[in-house]
Amino acid sequence: MTFQTEIEQPEDSGARGPSRRAVEVVVSLLLIGLAAAVLWDSYGRGAGWDGGPQSGFFPARVGWLFLAGSVFLLAQAFREAPQVLVTWAQLAMVAKVFVPL
């Protein structure tokens, strides 16, 4: 009995689908929004050092690092040439598994 380890897909140079740049930009913007929410909540709780760290001190520092990383990823997304990340047919195959879940 033999098992096929990879799904054979015909290579089509004109394949259409979401570009890697578009996906990275959307994910980066979502992460920037999440970092902004963390910072908003941290500074609402108190993120200073008044006789010791306040309850939002550590989450605020992590939020700033998270924001910096997300902005870096957003900048990197615009530096790369746009290319197709996944074809619509491949994405449909993945959706057939994950949508029922």
Side-chain angles (χ1 to χ4, degrees):
M1 181 187 288
T2 61
F3 293 100
Q4 184 178 7
T5 58
E6 293 184 23
I7 296 175
E8 301 277 334
Q9 293 289 334
E11 293 295 324
D12 182 14
S13 62
R16 306 278 305 170
S19 71
R20 180 175 175 166
R21 177 182 289 173
V23 172
E24 286 184 357
V25 166
V26 169
V27 170
S28 296
L29 292 175
L30 287 173
L31 292 176
I32 287 170
L34 182 63
V38 167
L39 289 170
W40 177 270
D41 186 57
S42 296
Y43 282 101
R45 294 175 187 266
W49 191 287
D50 187 26
Q54 294 177 340
S55 62
F57 180 79
F58 180 71
R61 298 314 179 258
V62 172
W64 282 112
L65 290 172
F66 198 72
L67 180 64
S70 301
V71 169
F72 177 76
L73 290 176
L74 182 63
Q76 284 293 104
F78 287 109
R79 293 184 68 199
E80 295 180 8
Q83 59 186 0
V84 175
L85 176 67
V86 63
T87 64
W88 292 115
Q90 292 169 336
L91 196 58
M93 289 178 8
V94 172
K96 286 179 186 177
V97 173
F98 284 109
V99 169
L101 288 176

